[in-house]
Amino acid sequence: MIDREAVVRRHTIRYHEPRPEEPLSVGNGEFAFTVDHTGLQTFADRYERDAARERGEAAMPLGTQAQWGYHWAPNPHGWQLEDTLESYDGPRGPVAYPTAYDYREDREASAASGRAAGYYYWTNPQRLHLARIGLLLDGRTPAWDQVRAGTQELDLWTGVVTSTFALAGVDVRVRTAVDPDRDAVAFEIDSALLDQGRLAVEIAFGSVAETFEAPPVWDRPQDHTTTLRRDGAAAVWDRRLDDARYQVRAAGEVAVAGDGHHWTLRPTGPRLSGVVEFAATLREDVLGHAGAVFARSAAGWGAFWRGGAAIDLAGSTAEPAHELERRIVLSQYQTKVHCSGSTPPQETGLVCNSWGGTFHLEMHWWHAAHFPAWGRPELLERSLAWYAAILPVAEDIAAAQGFRGARWPKHVGPEGVESPNVIGPLLLWQQPHVIHYAQLLLMASDDAAAVRAAYRDLVDATAEFLASFALAGADGAYHLPPPLMPAQEVYGARDTWDPLLELAYVRWALRVALRWRRADGRAEPEEWVRVADGLRPTLSADGHYDAVQNPPRTVFTDHPSMLGALGVVPDTGALDHDAMLRTLERACERWDWRSAWGWDFPMIAMCATRLGRADIALDALLRDEGKNTFLANGHNRQVPHRMPLYLPGNGGLLMAAALLFAGWVDDGGTHRRVDLPAGWSAETEGFPARP
C-alpha cells in the first residue's frame, strides 16, 4: 500500500523569496484565492501582466474568482450573435457560422472592419475579479521593499498556506485557506504590529476590462456599486456591476470600516482572524471562525488525497523520476483547485482571465477527463450537469446548420453562447468528448446502468449529430467534410476533409454510443452503424498517417494532433500500429516544438504508450521545451506575459501518467500495461479501468 501522505508531503512547496511568476493558490474547484508572499494579495497590482511587462518580467496575477462570477458588458447597439454569421460552401450547400471576427483585432480595429458585434461576443461574458484582499500598514499598502520575505509554505495535504515575513522590521505570520464546500477564504494574522494598531486588512472591489485578459479595473469607481449592510456581527457588501450581482460577507474577529469600494478590517482580539465569503446569494448561516475553515480544509484535502488513485515513483533510480512525480502530485492539486467546479474551467483556471475568462469545450477533456481515470469521477460530474443545461442550445446550433442531434459550441461562458472567430465554430473534435466523459464515468462506476440512465440523453444527442455530420462518399466510405477546422488549426476550414484525429474519434464515439444502446436493450440506429464502420483512416503513399487525409498532408507546426488518433482516442482496430509508430517517430523528429502547446506533450506520450513505447512517452512528458515547463507551484507555463499558466497541460499529464503507469482495458476486456524502461519503477493503486 502506498504511503500517500509521504508521497504528497515530499512535494510540499516552500519559497524563501517572492515568486511573482509562481504564486500559490488555495481553493475548492468552485472558488480560488491566489496570494503573494504576504499570504494575501497585498501586491496584486505588481503581479498584473501589464505591470510585469513594464518591468520586463513575467508574473502571474492574483485572482479571487468563482465559477459563477460572470459579467456581461452593456450592449447599447443591441448586437446579436446572428450579426456575426458568415456563409461557408460545403458539399451539402451553404451553411452559416458565427465567424465574423478576427481575434487579433481590438475594439477599435473591429469597429473599423465592421466586426464590432464579433468583438462584443468574443470578449463577453467576462469572469469577475470578485475582490482584492491585502495588508495595510499605517492605513496604506506597504511598499514592496518594506517586506522582507521569510518562508512561505503550501501544505498540499491540508490546503493551508503559511507565510512568514518581516514588515517594517516586525515579524508577521499569515495563514490562509479556502473552505472545501463554500466560496470562502479564511486568514489568521499574528504580529506585534496588530498590538500597535498599525496592521490591518483591506478588501477592495473593482470593475473588469472588456479585453482578452479581462484584468480588474480600479480607476472607474462609477462603473459599479458597493453597498454595506450589517448582518449581526458580520458585514455584508452587496455588489453590482452592470447586470452582475453578488454578495460578500466578512465575519470573525474583525471590525469593519470604510466607504465606497475600499474597506478595512481591524482585529477585535489579539490576532486578526476572519472569513470572507462570496456568493451570488449568501447562505443564512455565517462562517465566522477561521479556525473552523482551516480544520475543514485539512479534512477535505486529506480525504481527497486518500481517495481515488495514487502513483509512487520513489522506487525508480532514473534521475527524472522525482521531477515527474512532483509534476503529477502538483497537477492533482492544481486541477482540484481550478478544474473541478460546476462549469468547465478556463485555460487559466481561477487564477486570472484568458479569453475574457470564458472556457473552451475542446479543452475540457484535457482539464478534467483525468478525474474519473484517477478514481475521482464526482469531480468531473460536477460540470456535466452544465452540458445537460445547455443541451437545447447545442440542439439549436445543430438544427441551424442542417444537422440532427446536438452540436456543442467551442468557446463559451455559462450560457453556452458561442464566441465568434474563424476557428472555434468550425472545430469538430470537442463533439465526441461528451461521450468520452460518459464512458470514463461508466468504467469508474460500480453501477453502469445508473451511469447510462444519467447520461444517455447526452450520449444519444451527441452521437446523432456525429452521424448526421458524416457524409457518404462514392467510394463506399464515410467522410468528415468541410467546412471543418481540425484540432491542428493550420489548415483551411473550407477545404479540409477527414483529419485523422477527428476521423478516429468520431468512429470510436459512435461505437461507444452503440454499445450503450445495446446494453440498455435499445435499438441501434442503422446510420450510426454505417458511419462508424465507414469512417476509415487511410495510409499515405509513404507509409505514414497524415494529419489531414484528403488530400493527404501534414504541416509540422502547432498540435501534432494526428497522434491523438491512437492515444487520446482508444484503439478501434482501424489504425495500423506499425504505421502509427512510424508516424510518431517522424513527428518527434520533425516537429517545430516551439509552436506546440502544453497538452501536445502528454498527447505524444499517450500515443507512444498505446504503441508499447514507454521510452518515447517518458521523453515526451519530460521534454525540455518552453511550453512543457512546470513551475515551482506546479502550473504548466505557457505564454509568459499573456497566458502565464495552462491547466490543459496539467490535466493532460495526469491522463498520460494514468495510461503509462496503470494501463487500460481494450475492447476485448483485456487489461494492457506497457513495460517501463530500466530505472523506472511505479507503484500504483486505486485506478479504475479506462478505455
Side-chain angles (χ1 to χ4, degrees), residues 109-460:
S110 65
S113 67
R115 292 189 280 259
Y119 182 84
Y120 179 79
Y121 280 99
W122 188 76
T123 56
N124 279 281
Q126 304 107 37
R127 196 185 299 260
L128 295 171
H129 295 265
L130 301 173
R132 181 183 67 205
I133 305 175
L135 294 176
L136 295 177
L137 178 66
D138 299 328
R140 294 187 296 273
T141 299
W144 178 266
D145 58 9
Q146 284 184 286
V147 175
R148 188 180 74 252
T151 299
Q152 185 172 56
E153 178 178 293
L154 169 56
D155 183 348
L156 301 165
W157 192 259
T158 64
V160 176
V161 173
T162 302
S163 310
T164 61
F165 52 93
L167 176 55
V170 181
D171 289 341
V172 181
R173 181 176 183 265
V174 179
R175 298 178 71 229
T176 318
V178 159
D179 190 88
D181 300 314
R182 293 172 65 166
D183 299 346
V185 58
F187 53 86
E188 286 183 344
I189 304 173
D190 293 283
S191 177
L193 290 170
L194 296 171
D195 299 332
Q196 300 167 17
R198 301 181 63 193
L199 188 63
V201 165
E202 180 188 49
I203 301 180
F205 301 104
S207 181
V208 61
E210 191 182 9
T211 63
F212 172 92
E213 295 179 356
V217 175
W218 303 103
D219 59 357
R220 294 187 60 83
Q222 70 278 11
D223 288 352
H224 53 113
T225 63
T226 305
T227 305
L228 175 69
R229 57 185 171 86
R230 300 291 176 175
D231 180 11
V236 175
W237 294 275
D238 292 307
R239 291 278 296 141
R240 176 174 180 173
L241 175 58
D242 296 321
D243 65 333
R245 307 286 188 277
Y246 66 96
Q247 297 178 318
V248 183
R249 178 167 55 207
E253 300 173 29
V254 295
V256 176
D259 56 47
H261 303 308
H262 295 264
W263 300 83
T264 301
L265 280 59
R266 295 190 179 276
T268 58
R271 63 168 37 152
L272 183 45
S273 175
V275 180
V276 182
E277 184 170 11
F278 301 81
T281 302
L282 288 164
R283 290 164 48 167
E284 290 187 5
D285 59 313
V286 178
L287 282 177
H289 300 286
V293 173
F294 287 110
R296 284 163 54 83
S297 175
W301 278 103
F304 170 80
W305 292 115
R306 293 186 193 95
I311 295 174
D312 185 348
L313 298 180
S316 299
T317 58
E319 184 178 347
H322 181 81
E323 169 59 17
L324 183 56
E325 187 185 87
R326 182 188 75 89
R327 296 182 183 192
I328 290 170
V329 169
L330 295 184
S331 291
Q332 290 177 79
Y333 179 84
Q334 296 293 5
T335 54
K336 169 66 168 67
V337 168
H338 296 289
C339 304
S340 64
S342 55
T343 59
Q346 64 172 318
E347 290 176 318
T348 45
L350 298 169
V351 174
C352 61
N353 285 338
S354 54
W355 305 91
T358 49
F359 40 88
H360 302 251
L361 294 195
E362 93 281 20
M363 287 293 99
H364 191 198
W365 190 94
W366 296 92
H367 286 282
H370 67 87
F371 287 128
W374 278 71
R376 298 174 178 128
E378 70 283 356
L379 298 184
L380 173 63
E381 285 194 280
R382 290 181 183 178
S383 59
L384 293 192
W386 177 83
Y387 285 88
I390 72 151
L391 179 59
V393 175
E395 291 172 332
D396 288 346
I397 292 172
Q401 296 171 2
F403 302 113
R404 302 187 306 277
R407 181 171 192 166
W408 304 103
K410 187 269 190 191
H411 172 197
V412 297
E415 300 88 354
V417 177
E418 183 76 85
S419 293
N421 64 73
V422 297
I423 293 175
L426 302 172
L427 286 175
L428 183 68
W429 71 297
Q430 74 269 31
Q431 305 307 322
H433 283 349
V434 173
I435 296 176
H436 206 155
Y437 304 145
Q439 182 65 11
L440 285 165
L441 292 174
L442 183 145
M443 296 183 75
S445 174
D446 294 328
D447 190 346
V451 175
R452 291 196 302 273
Y455 297 108
R456 67 165 61 103
D457 290 346
L458 294 180
V459 169
D460 283 351

